[in-house]
Amino acid sequence: MSDCLFCKIVRGEIPSNKLYEDDAVYAFYDIDPQAPTHFLVIPKSHIASVAGITPENAAVVARIFTVISDLAKQLGLDSYRVVSNTGVQAGQSVPHLHFHVLSGRDMTWPPG
Ligand code: 5GP
Ligand code: ZN
């Protein structure tokens, strides 16, 4: 999508601190980290949120989780949280599917 922030990051129109990229998945550090390690993993193709995942596009979600597992191992993370805020009330501020990976501090449950 031409005016989507994360689509612009994928296209390189907005700079990002990239961790990983393949033909379908892009991972980069969050600009406003909420933990000592905080990065985002997204599909390169535009999906608005978890609510936009369908049988036709779901394969990229499995790839995203493979990337998360691999990156966590590479970064030496032995405990981390994966979060995807879906909808405004849940805290979603960027309407392009993304999975937060947070690590390096104690976390509370339930999340606020
Ligand atoms: P959400 O609030 O939708 O769950 O998560 C969006 C995340 O994107 C936030 O954690 C926010 O800090 C991050 N973010 C927003 N704009 C940018 C940006 O331009 N670059 C990067 N790297 N992260 C961003
Ligand atoms: Zn997008």
Side-chain angles (χ1 to χ4, degrees):
M1 262 172 75
S2 58
D3 61 346
C4 168
L5 175 67
F6 285 175
C7 284
K8 288 180 179 174
I9 284 178
V10 167
R11 292 195 297 264
E13 296 167 14
I14 293 174
S16 65
N17 193 355
K18 183 173 78 175
L19 259 169
Y20 174 84
E21 177 177 18
D22 64 28
D23 60 315
V25 177
Y26 195 89
F28 56 108
Y29 284 104
D30 197 292
I31 203 168
D32 181 23
Q34 302 301 311
T37 299
H38 183 180
F39 60 89
L40 304 171
V41 187
I42 69 174
K44 284 188 166 179
S45 57
H46 184 85
I47 300 171
S49 73
V50 169
I53 298 170
T54 65
E56 289 71 36
N57 65 23
V60 73
V61 179
R63 290 183 63 176
I64 284 170
F65 274 82
T66 303
V67 169
I68 289 171
S69 179
D70 288 346
L71 286 175
K73 289 183 182 77
Q74 285 173 30
L75 295 170
L77 310 180
D78 56 5
S79 183
Y80 52 92
R81 185 172 288 181
V82 182
V83 176
S84 189
N85 300 320
T86 304
V88 172
Q89 189 175 33
Q92 185 177 9
S93 61
V94 178
H96 180 127
L97 178 65
H98 52 283
F99 294 87
H100 297 259
V101 180
L102 301 127
S103 183
R105 64 166 171 79
D106 293 338
M107 294 184 194
T108 58
W109 190 263

